[in-house]
Amino acid sequence: MPAAAPQTFLGITAVPGPRIVLHPSFALFPHELKARFPQPHKVRVTAQSSLLLAGDVTVDCLSLAGSLQLSAPPGVAVVVNTGQGEVVNDGHELLPLDQLKDDVSEVDRMRGYRIVCREMRAVSAEPTGPAEVVFTGRAGGSSGLIPLTHFDPDEEPQLDLQPQSSFLCAPFSIFTRNCT
């Protein structure tokens, strides 16, 4: 994957990487993190992407260029397998403070930028649904979740690119607010 272009905030130039947020319900310890990514060589996340994970989510295969939030409620396991497909959307953008017209919060002033959510794919398994589901990004409902018993990894991926699969969102959230 190509690196992101260097950006300068508060006089400091750096090459930003992907923003990956792991909720404590996803993993706390290195051995848990290793178990959540059993095939790390099959996970591709661009430098401009944001990935937010919560709950019993196992990432088998993922190609992400944008922003994706996956969460599993207690008692439900989600397996991520996008196959040869890719989850693509406008994601999040880091905006320097001089590009902002409105009031700037103290946190933004300390960072030197604001994280602005342009578009995010948010998928949450239903607590009353199947105990194990697979997120494929394929057609099959706006969530892209299908029961594990119906998952065929050899099926040609048909990505679900319907408008309801992604949404425009408010400022970046870390599982405390939903992007709306």
Side-chain angles (χ1 to χ4, degrees), residues 1 3 7-8 17 37 39 45 62-63 66 69 72 78 81 89 92-94 97 126 130 140 147 151 157 160 165 172:
M1 295 250 141
Q7 291 184 294
T8 302
F37 293 93
Q39 301 182 75
V45 179
L62 173 65
S63 183
Q69 176 179 335
V78 174
N81 190 328
N89 58 44
H92 291 85
E93 182 179 1
L94 304 179
L97 297 183
E126 294 295 324
F151 175 64
D160 178 5
S165 67
F172 189 71

Side-chain angles (χ1 to χ4, degrees), residues 1 4 17-18 20 23 27 51 55 60-61 73 88 90 96 103 107 111 115 120 132 139 147 156 159 165-166 171 178:
M1 295 250 141
I20 299 176
H23 189 271
L51 177 62
D60 279 343
C61 180
V88 180
D90 291 338
D103 290 333
V107 172
R111 282 188 194 133
I115 301 173
M120 172 188 277
E132 292 183 307
E156 185 65 28
L159 291 184
S165 67
S166 296
N178 287 330

Side-chain angles (χ1 to χ4, degrees), residues 24 66 103 124 161:
D103 290 333
S124 181
L161 299 176

Side-chain angles (χ1 to χ4, degrees), residues 24 26-37 57:
F26 176 75
L28 288 176
F29 302 102
H31 74 278
E32 292 173 323
L33 191 58
K34 184 177 179 180
R36 298 291 188 187
F37 293 93
V57 177

Side-chain angles (χ1 to χ4, degrees), residues 1 17-20 44-52 63-68 86-87 89 91-92 172:
M1 295 250 141
R19 290 158 298 281
I20 299 176
R44 296 173 25 127
V45 179
T46 65
Q48 300 83 8
S49 294
S50 300
L51 177 62
L52 298 91
S63 183
L64 175 62
S67 186
L68 175 64
E86 184 174 36
V87 177
N89 58 44
H92 291 85
F172 189 71

Side-chain angles (χ1 to χ4, degrees), residues 68-132:
L68 175 64
Q69 176 179 335
L70 288 164
S71 58
V76 177
V78 174
V79 176
V80 179
N81 190 328
T82 59
Q84 298 298 313
E86 184 174 36
V87 177
V88 180
N89 58 44
D90 291 338
H92 291 85
E93 182 179 1
L94 304 179
L95 287 179
L97 297 183
D98 59 354
Q99 293 183 13
L100 299 174
K101 306 269 189 249
D102 57 352
D103 290 333
V104 178
S105 72
E106 183 177 354
V107 172
D108 291 340
R109 284 194 307 273
M110 287 189 291
R111 282 188 194 133
Y113 61 88
R114 178 177 294 162
I115 301 173
V116 178
C117 183
R118 301 291 182 209
E119 185 179 20
M120 172 188 277
R121 176 120 188 223
V123 178
S124 181
E126 294 295 324
T128 57
E132 292 183 307

